[in-house]
Amino acid sequence: MQPDLLLHSVSLHSQWLGEFLGTFILILLGNGVNASVTLRKTYAQNAGWMVVATGWAIAVLCGVLTAQAFGSPGAHLNPAITLSAAIIHNDFSNVASFWSAQLLGAMLGATLTWLFFYPHWIVTPDQGAKLGVFCTNAAIPHLPSNLLGEATGTFVLVLVAGAIGSRGVSATGPAPAVGPWLVACLVWGIGLSLGSTTGYAINPARDLGPRLMHFLLPISGKGSSNWRYAPVPIIGDLAGAAAAGLLLHFANL
C-alpha cells in the first residue's frame, strides 16, 4: 500500500475519538480555570465564581466544537447526556462506548492540568483546595440536598438542551455552529444560578475522571480524594438526566 493511501486508511474521525478529544478539552480548560483561581501564585488567584463559571462555559463550547470536528456530531461529552439521548431515542447501543471515551478523556484532561500547573501544587498548602481543582464537593454536606442539587442542575441541562434543538424553537434547528454557543450559555447560567451549592458537576465523567487522577497522581501535598462524596455527582446526575430524557421522549419536541 502506498504511504498516502495508508494515511487515508487510518481513521482520525469517529464518534469515539470525538467524544474522547472533546471531553479532554472540556476538562483541561475546566479544571484549568479551577486551578487558575484556586492555586497559589497564579495571576488569576482568587478571581472568583464569575471567572470559574465563565471558564467552564467556554470549556463546554471548545469541547463541543472539538468533538464535532473529530466525528461526534452530538458532542455529548457527558455520560448523563448520553443516557438521556439513549432514553429519548430508545437506542442504548452507543452508551458503553461513549462512556468509556468520556471517562478516559476526562482522565487525560485532569492529568495534563496537573502537569501544566506543576510548581503551583507545591506552594499551595490547602489540601481541600487542591482536590477542588479536580472534582466537586458540597458547600454544606447534606446528602438529600446535594443529590437534589446535582439532579436538578442536570435535569435543566438536558431539558433546555433539548428545547434548543426543538421544532418549537426552530423548525430547522439552530443555525450551523450556533448550537454550541447556546449550550455554553446554558452551562454558564446553570453555574451562576444553581452551581454554588455542589460545584455543579452535572456530568459524572467530569467528576469521576479527575477524582481518579487526583487519587492516582503524585500531587504534592494532596489529601483525601473524598470518595465518600463521589457517588453524589454520579447518581444525582444520571437520575436528573433520566428524568429529563423521559420527559423529552414523551413530549416529542
Side-chain angles (χ1 to χ4, degrees):
M1 182 179 290
Q2 296 178 358
D4 58 335
L5 294 178
L6 179 61
L7 286 173
H8 284 299
S9 69
V10 177
S11 175
L12 289 177
H13 193 84
S14 69
Q15 287 187 309
W16 193 95
L17 184 62
E19 289 294 321
F20 172 78
L21 290 176
T23 309
F24 161 69
I25 292 296
L26 166 67
I27 299 303
L28 175 61
L29 297 182
N31 282 179
V33 73
N34 287 353
S36 294
V37 170
T38 301
L39 298 181
R40 292 281 185 90
K41 295 189 176 181
T42 72
Y43 290 127
Q45 185 182 355
N46 298 322
W49 188 252
M50 178 63 77
V51 171
V52 171
T54 303
W56 273 101
I58 295 172
V60 169
L61 171 64
C62 294
V64 167
L65 293 174
T66 300
Q68 291 177 336
F70 278 88
S72 182
H76 295 175
L77 317 183
N78 182 340
I81 295 291
T82 299
L83 176 63
S84 67
I87 292 171
I88 292 167
H89 302 293
N90 195 27
D91 179 3
F92 292 81
S93 60
N94 287 325
V95 169
S97 174
F98 277 27
W99 282 10
S100 69
Q102 292 154 3
L103 182 61
L104 290 172
M107 293 171 71
L108 180 60
T111 301
L112 186 51
T113 302
W114 167 64
L115 290 171
F116 187 93
F117 290 91
Y118 189 81
H120 296 271
W121 306 107
I122 299 172
V123 299
T124 303
D126 188 338
Q127 295 178 346
K130 293 177 184 180
L131 177 61
V133 171
F134 290 88
C135 52
T136 63
N137 191 21
I140 298 177
H142 184 262
L143 183 60
S145 297
N146 303 153
L147 283 168
L148 178 63
E150 281 295 322
T152 301
T154 312
F155 180 88
V156 171
L157 174 66
V158 173
L159 184 67
V160 179
I164 288 170
S166 70
R167 293 185 295 270
V169 172
S170 173
T172 58
V178 171
W181 285 92
L182 296 176
V183 172
C185 289
L186 166 60
V187 173
W188 192 26
I190 292 172
L192 294 175
S193 298
L194 303 174
S196 61
T197 58
T198 63
Y200 73 117
I202 58 175
N203 180 340
R206 169 265 174 278
D207 190 272
L208 179 59
R211 194 183 297 271
L212 281 167
M213 297 320 299
H214 177 273
F215 176 74
L216 295 171
L217 291 170
I219 301 165
S220 177
K222 71 175 180 180
S224 166
S225 299
N226 193 14
W227 290 107
R228 183 176 182 178
Y229 184 77
V232 171
I234 297 174
I235 297 170
D237 295 358
L238 293 177
L246 285 169
L247 176 57
L248 290 170
H249 174 78
F250 290 109
N252 191 26
L253 300 182

